Amino acid sequence: MSIFWATQYRPEDPSAAIAAIGELSEMFAGVGASQTRLLVAMTQDVGTQSVVTNWESSGDAVAAFDPIDGTATKAIGSSKTLSALLAASGIPLRRVIGDIDQSFGDTGSGKYAVNVVQSTAAGPALWTEAGELAWSAVKAEGASGLQLARVLTGDATGLRLGTVFVENVDQFTGILSKMPPKLLEIFAATGTSTVVRNVHRIISA
């Protein structure tokens, strides 16, 4: 189990934020994040970027982002580049925290992230089975990884977020017409429906 913390911005200069990903990743690693990515929206909220970091626990993430004495807050303030970017981007559009409960394959690779937000009445056991079936399907299409999480904050609290990591988005869309029958059965039995589906370009150091 681990936590993701995603903060969405509409940067004044998108290319400047992309160019700073190396310094940003190094800074977050220094305060305890296990992974940092910049997601550039392609199909929803176009023009926005989201900084997504992974942490061992929600307590670690909150300690880093505390607006008064957080370790990440202080580190950003001490960097001319990062503090200037933050000031130019303005107040975040939204912030989302999620509990990552399943990961398959290599979730550290891929050129694109396809995010699928779903509502479901499935309990932990059924959702674990659904995740395994989904991974077998997208893996067969060439996806490099799959991450499943439960959203803990904001308007999407309680919804499920699946992220498929691919080099080519066809590796995701190819499965839509040939979903495993057992997975479709689980979705039907638990009232699972897709709320949002979107594509992001992944930028990482």
Side-chain angles (χ1 to χ4, degrees), residues 72-179:
T73 303
K74 290 181 177 179
I76 290 171
S78 67
S79 164
K80 290 184 178 179
T81 300
L82 299 182
S83 58
L85 282 174
L86 186 62
S89 296
I91 297 172
L93 302 177
R94 62 175 57 87
R95 181 168 284 147
V96 178
I97 305 171
D99 183 10
I100 302 169
D101 47 21
Q102 295 185 74
S103 292
F104 304 91
D106 183 2
T107 59
S109 65
K111 187 175 183 180
Y112 301 100
V114 182
N115 290 317
V116 182
V117 180
Q118 295 177 300
S119 63
T120 184
L126 266 183
W127 200 249
T128 296
E129 182 180 1
E132 292 168 350
L133 289 165
W135 169 236
S136 68
V138 297
K139 181 182 179 182
E141 291 295 312
S144 57
L146 170 66
Q147 177 179 286
L148 300 180
R150 180 171 55 91
V151 180
L152 301 176
T153 63
D155 295 340
T157 297
L159 297 183
R160 291 285 181 166
L161 171 63
T163 303
V164 184
F165 299 95
V166 297
E167 287 297 321
N168 184 321
V169 177
D170 286 343
Q171 294 169 331
F172 171 81
T173 56
I175 193 58
L176 295 179
S177 62
K178 48 185 176 182
M179 299 271 278

Side-chain angles (χ1 to χ4, degrees), residues 25-41:
S25 295
E26 184 177 350
M27 183 279 293
F28 276 120
V31 297
S34 59
Q35 187 179 72
T36 300
R37 285 195 180 98
L38 183 68
L39 300 186
V40 181

